[in-house]
Amino acid sequence: MTDLQTSGILAKECLRTQICGEGEWPKNTVLYQPYETEQILLPDNSKCLSVKTFLKMADLEFIVEARENAEYMSPHRGKVPFIKAGQFLVADFEPIVNFAQSKGYSLSSNLDEHQKWDLRVYMALVNNVLLNAEIYVTWKHEPTYNDLTKPRYGSVYSFPLNHWATYYKRCEMLSHLDVLDWKKKSLDEVFKEVEKICESLSNFLGDKKYFFNEKPTELDALVFGHLFSIITTPLLNNRFAAIIRAYDNLVQLCVRIETEFYQSRFL
């Protein structure tokens, strides 16, 4: 049986499990991601942290394994993190959340229909704005690409693969931005988009502990993953982090989640 056939069978079985809600959370679930210190880039770091935070909030056991070729191991090429849960491989935040929900683990099951609609809308905004802004700064902004992205992304590959892998990854990311009409934006326009979504998230959060009052939901995990990563990732231009720091309630949300679920304080 070929790797492609095996992947197809796993995908079908995973879909069947999601629909039927069979079984408990698999023991020895492994989350695969790139190396944090020398390799991972801002967009992937945000996604990995979002997934880890969701799993922690849902009190689901998992271990983390860093692999230099994590994105090539993924069942959906380029999508990290991914989990190996029993016989199933599931990649990216929303599919992993759906997989957990199929097992009976949800952070938003107590929300009413209006609240669930708000949750979906704001999660879509985070993915459509913050993630694309991270991709833009990482892969489109020339100084950041040359000084930070190229050496980090290519660090785990030998010459000349380090150059080719980085080149093709950049082409893929620029194509992604082009399809979504982000490629032609200026850096100022990107930061204006970030300011608008931060203002919207700040207004929605208000003075509540979490976005939906006292208990965290998938939205809190997703927002934390992106905001915390942006604030703590060294970039050539600190305006990205400065925009977020201008909204005190969003910063305090990050501090609250970091302290409660990671027993640390870096902000």
Side-chain angles (χ1 to χ4, degrees):
M1 183 178 292
T2 67
D3 291 341
L4 184 60
Q5 289 172 321
T6 302
S7 297
I9 292 172
L10 286 173
K12 289 178 182 177
E13 286 298 312
C14 183
L15 178 61
R16 181 171 67 86
T17 299
Q18 291 179 27
I19 293 173
C20 298
E22 301 174 359
E24 297 296 324
W25 182 254
K27 296 181 179 179
N28 303 318
T29 293
V30 181
L31 181 146
Y32 291 93
Q33 66 167 63
Y35 287 109
E36 287 187 359
T37 304
E38 60 272 69
Q39 180 188 19
I40 201 167
L41 298 170
L42 176 58
D44 289 341
N45 191 45
S46 295
K47 292 190 292 181
C48 291
L49 184 57
S50 294
V51 170
K52 285 185 280 190
T53 303
F54 163 73
L55 295 175
K56 283 178 175 288
M57 287 177 172
D59 199 24
L60 296 172
E61 293 185 5
F62 68 99
I63 60 173
V64 177
E65 284 200 19
R67 299 288 180 86
E68 65 181 34
N69 60 339
E71 67 175 303
Y72 297 101
M73 294 170 57
S74 173
H76 298 289
R77 186 183 177 280
K79 297 285 188 181
V80 290
F82 72 94
I83 61 171
K84 183 179 185 300
Q87 61 179 314
F88 306 115
L89 302 174
V90 192
D92 219 1
F93 184 82
E94 188 172 349
I96 291 172
V97 167
N98 291 339
F99 181 79
Q101 289 177 344
S102 76
K103 300 293 185 182
Y105 300 93
S106 173
L107 300 177
S108 53
S109 58
N110 63 323
L111 302 183
D112 61 35
E113 288 305 312
H114 180 73
Q115 289 174 318
K116 289 180 179 179
W117 172 257
D118 286 338
L119 180 140
R120 289 191 294 268
V121 168
Y122 279 100
M123 286 179 62
L125 283 173
V126 171
N127 285 321
N128 291 335
V129 178
L130 289 182
L131 180 58
N132 286 329
E134 294 162 2
I135 293 172
Y136 182 100
V137 170
T138 302
W139 293 100
K140 175 68 169 61
H141 184 239
E142 206 70 32
T144 301
Y145 172 73
N146 288 322
D147 292 355
L148 298 178
T149 304
K150 283 176 68 175
R152 284 187 65 84
Y153 188 81
S155 65
V156 296
Y157 304 112
S158 59
F159 178 84
L161 181 58
N162 57 337
H163 293 292
W164 284 111
T166 307
Y167 170 78
Y168 283 116
K169 183 67 175 183
R170 190 186 198 195
C171 290
E172 180 185 341
M173 293 295 96
L174 292 182
S175 176
H176 167 86
L177 293 175
D178 194 27
V179 168
L180 299 175
D181 293 326
W182 274 70
K183 186 179 177 181
K184 294 181 180 179
K185 291 181 183 292
S186 67
L187 188 59
D188 283 341
E189 288 174 328
V190 169
F191 286 142
K192 286 179 181 177
E193 294 284 351
V194 173
E195 287 176 354
K196 286 192 291 186
I197 189 174
C198 285
E199 181 178 6
S200 180
L201 287 170
S202 177
N203 289 338
F204 184 60
L205 177 61
D207 59 1
K208 301 190 296 293
K209 182 177 180 180
Y210 295 108
F211 283 106
F212 295 94
N213 296 314
E214 293 301 311
K215 293 184 178 180
T217 64
E218 292 82 1
L219 176 60
D220 296 279
L222 184 65
V223 169
F224 171 77
H226 286 275
L227 298 189
F228 186 90
S229 295
I230 292 168
I231 292 173
T232 58
T233 298
L235 295 173
L236 300 181
N237 187 328
N238 66 358
R239 184 176 169 188
F240 211 168
I243 291 171
I244 296 169
R245 288 190 179 277
Y247 295 91
D248 185 64
N249 62 341
L250 295 182
V251 174
Q252 291 308 311
L253 173 70
C254 290
V255 170
R256 189 175 302 116
I257 292 174
E258 180 194 12
T259 303
E260 183 170 350
F261 295 99
Y262 292 92
Q263 288 88 44
S264 60
R265 176 73 182 269
F266 294 115
L267 297 182

